[in-house]
Amino acid sequence: MPAVKFYELDTSRRLQMLVDEGLIDERDRATLAPSRALPEDIGSHLIENHIGAFPVPLGLAEHFLIDGRALRVPMATEEPSVIAAAGNAAQRVARSGGFHTRASRRGIVAQIVFRQGDGVGGDASGNRSGGRSGKRGLASFLAAHRREIGDVADRAHPTLRSHGGGLCGIEVRRTGEFVEFDLLIATGEAMGANTVNTIAEAVAAYLSARLAGFDLLMAILSNKADDQRVHVEARIAAADLATSTMPGDEVASRIAAAARFAEQSDLRAATHNKGVMNGIVAAALAAGNDVRNVVAAAYADLDAEQRTWTSWRVADGGLCGSIDMPMPIGVVGGAVSTLPVARLAMTMLGHPGADELMGIIASVGLASNLSAMRALVTQGIQAGHMHLQLRSLAMTTGAQGRELEVLTRRLQADPSRASLERARVSLDAIRAEHASKGEASAGRVHTADGREMIE
Ligand code: MEV
C-alpha cells in the first residue's frame, strides 16, 4: 500500500496521524480543535497541511479619536502592555482634538524583469530580428504597445475596472543587464496582491512574445509601496504629558529629544521603530491584513537619511507628532473577508474604507510610539510594564483565574527577584494553601520585607 501523504489528508486525519506517531497526545489534539473563531474549512482552505489554529489575544485599544470619530481599535498581540499603552496615548491625544489622517492610494507596482540574452540582437521596437535595445528603443517599444498592454491587463482581471482599479501606468528602465517594466496597478479597496501578480504575469507573457533577445526572468509585485502612503498628525497639550514628578513641558521636550536621537542612531532607531510596529502590526493583524507586507513596505521606506517614520517637536504649547509611511492594506478580499475575527474587527471599526483603515493603523502606530517614549524619558519602561510583565510570567506557569491574580501580586511584592522558577514555586505554594486551608488563604500575599497583606 502506498504511504499516506500528510498533505493529502484532511485536518482530522492529519491530527490522528500525529497522535499515532506520538508527536501529540489527546490533550494536544483538543488544544488544536477548530473553533468558531477559525472553523476547520476556513483554516484548511487558507493554508496547506493545516492542523489547527494559533490564537493570538485580541483586545481593544480605547480612546482613539481619529478624524473626529471616536473608536476602540481592535489589536491582536501577545505582548503585554501594547494595547494599554496605545489607549493611554490615544486618550492624551484625544484631549487635544485627536489624530488627523491623510491617505493616498494610487496603486501597487509590479515588476516585469527581463535579462538581455548573450549576444542576441534584441529588438525592443518589436521586430524579432536586428534593431535597437537601447533606452530609446525601449521607450518607443512601450509607446507603440501601450494600448495593447492595457487590453492584456484588463483581460487578465476583467472585473477590476468596475471596482475602480486597473492598470494606470507603465514605465520601462534598463539597469545593467536587466530591463524592467514597472506596471502601476490600482486595486480598488483590496490589497490586491493576487490581482496584481495575475496581471503582471499576463503582461509579462505578452511582452515576452514580442521582445526577441530578452529572457523573461520574473513578474511580481513590489512590496515597496510608495504609491500607498499615509500621513497622520497629532498634538498633545503639555499639561497632558505631565507625570506626578515631571511637568508636562519638560516631558514634551524630552520626548522631542528622544525622537531626534532616534533620527541619529541606528541602534536606537531599531527600537524606536519596534515601538511603532507594536501598534501597526497588532492593528493590521486584527483587521485581517498581511502584516508581512505592511512591515516590508514600512522598512523599505527607511535609510540612513530617514531612520524612522515618526517625528516629534515641541510646538503650540505642547508636543506635535506625525507619522508618514507606506501602508499597503485592503478592506476586501483575502483574510479580511475570510477570517471570522477579522470580519468582526472590521465591523467594530464601522467597516472603514481602505484610506480610513490606513489612517487608523498609522494612528495606532503613532500612539504606541508616543506612549513608549513618554515612559522611557520619565519613569523608564519597566515601571509601567511591570504589572503586565509579571502577569505574563505568572501565566507561563499555568496559573489561572484567581490563582493567577494572587501569583501576580506575590511576584509584584518583590519584582526584582521574579523569575519563572520562583513563580512556579510560588504557584505550588498557593495551590498547597488552597488545598490545606481553603480559598481564603490564597488571598494572603507577602511583601518584599516579609509583611503579609490580606487582599
Ligand atoms: C517594547 O516592545 C517597545 C519599546 O522598546 C519601544 C521604544 O523603546 O521606543 C518600549
Side-chain angles (χ1 to χ4, degrees):
M1 227 177 47
V4 191
K5 296 198 177 78
F6 191 70
Y7 72 89
E8 287 174 345
L9 301 175
D10 65 15
T11 302
S12 60
R13 290 205 183 95
R14 278 186 205 124
L15 288 170
Q16 187 57 52
M17 189 186 226
L18 298 180
V19 171
D20 295 344
E21 286 175 4
L23 202 62
I24 63 173
D25 61 20
E26 286 303 335
R27 239 176 99 101
D28 301 327
R29 192 202 316 240
T31 301
L32 290 167
S35 67
R36 283 177 67 174
L38 188 57
E40 182 181 319
D41 63 331
I42 295 180
S44 62
H45 283 103
L46 273 179
I47 63 159
E48 311 73 40
N49 290 357
H50 173 257
I51 59 165
F54 187 101
V56 172
L58 178 75
L60 293 178
E62 296 196 280
H63 313 300
F64 274 86
L65 181 65
I66 302 178
D67 297 323
R69 202 156 76 87
L71 279 176
R72 290 194 183 97
V73 183
M75 295 175 72
T77 181
E78 88 302 342
E79 183 170 335
S81 83
V82 162
I83 295 176
N88 181 295
Q91 192 167 30
R92 294 174 204 281
V93 172
R95 286 192 207 116
S96 296
F99 297 89
H100 303 283
T101 78
R102 204 168 60 230
S104 72
R105 297 180 78 245
R106 291 180 58 232
I108 300 178
V109 171
Q111 295 179 289
I112 301 172
V113 185
F114 290 89
R115 191 172 58 154
Q116 186 147 24
D118 280 347
V120 184
D123 181 356
S125 64
N127 298 324
R128 280 205 149 264
S129 59
R132 298 155 300 156
S133 59
K135 201 171 159 197
R136 268 200 286 147
L138 288 166
S140 56
F141 169 84
L142 181 56
H145 293 81
R146 175 69 183 79
R147 181 186 290 264
E148 268 183 59
I149 292 171
D151 292 342
V152 171
D154 285 349
R155 278 199 301 276
H157 203 293
T159 58
L160 189 58
R161 290 260 170 231
S162 63
H163 292 110
L167 180 66
C168 47
I170 315 179
E171 283 176 13
V172 63
R173 83 179 93 229
R174 173 185 285 280
T175 319
E177 67 182 298
F178 302 108
V179 168
E180 165 186 351
F181 290 81
D182 292 347
L183 313 185
L184 179 64
I185 300 165
T187 57
E189 290 292 280
M191 192 267 133
N194 284 326
T195 305
V196 169
N197 288 335
T198 301
I199 292 174
E201 288 188 358
V203 173
Y206 169 88
L207 292 173
S208 186
R210 281 154 190 82
L211 282 168
F214 290 87
D215 167 33
L216 175 62
L217 195 60
M218 68 174 88
I220 185 73
L221 69 78
S222 169
N223 288 105
K224 187 156 169 50
D226 292 343
D227 294 291
Q228 299 180 75
R229 296 197 71 89
V230 62
H231 180 88
V232 177
E233 290 182 3
R235 178 186 168 273
I236 307 97
D240 288 322
L241 289 167
T243 67
S244 55
T245 55
M246 199 181 284
D249 51 0
E250 190 180 339
V251 178
S253 158
R254 290 172 71 82
I255 291 176
R260 288 197 302 278
F261 181 61
E263 281 163 21
Q264 289 168 30
S265 159
D266 283 336
L267 278 177
R268 173 59 202 152
T271 322
H272 178 97
N273 291 338
K274 195 277 184 178
V276 177
M277 280 299 157
N278 277 346
I280 301 265
V281 168
L285 182 61
N289 269 269
D290 177 347
V291 292
R292 299 156 307 280
N293 182 26
V294 171
V295 170
Y299 281 94
D301 205 43
L302 302 180
D303 55 26
E305 308 272 285
Q306 178 80 43
R307 289 191 167 86
T308 175
W309 316 281
T310 63
S311 83
W312 296 92
R313 68 198 159 84
V314 175
D316 301 335
L319 184 68
C320 294
S322 65
I323 184 165
D324 197 293
M325 69 194 311
M327 178 71 65
I329 52 93
V331 295
V332 292
V336 194
S337 301
T338 326
L339 292 178
V341 183
R343 292 170 60 164
L344 191 59
M346 292 299 279
T347 303
M348 287 190 278
L349 287 173
H351 297 291
D355 284 8
E356 205 182 337
L357 184 61
M358 289 164 82
I360 293 170
I361 295 173
S363 297
V364 179
L366 190 60
S368 300
N369 183 222
L370 170 62
S371 202
M373 284 197 297
R374 180 172 176 274
L376 286 170
V377 301
T378 55
Q379 59 180 354
I381 207 73
Q382 285 307 85
H385 282 197
M386 195 47 83
H387 175 73
L388 294 161
Q389 305 281 10
L390 293 176
R391 196 172 65 189
S392 173
L393 178 64
M395 283 172 66
T396 315
T397 64
Q400 288 179 348
R402 181 134 189 273
E403 64 184 15
L404 176 63
E405 292 309 315
V406 175
L407 177 56
T408 306
R409 284 195 291 262
R410 286 193 185 184
L411 294 170
Q412 263 182 309
D414 191 3
S416 61
R417 297 177 68 204
S419 67
L420 184 56
E421 204 183 323
R422 290 182 77 86
R424 286 200 174 117
V425 170
S426 203
L427 178 62
D428 288 345
I430 291 167
R431 287 180 174 163
E433 286 166 28
H434 271 254
S436 65
K437 298 180 200 156
E439 275 287 312
S441 68
R444 289 174 198 279
V445 171
H446 295 272
T447 61
D449 60 3
R451 283 173 298 133
E452 192 173 84
M453 293 189 311
I454 309 292
E455 300 169 299

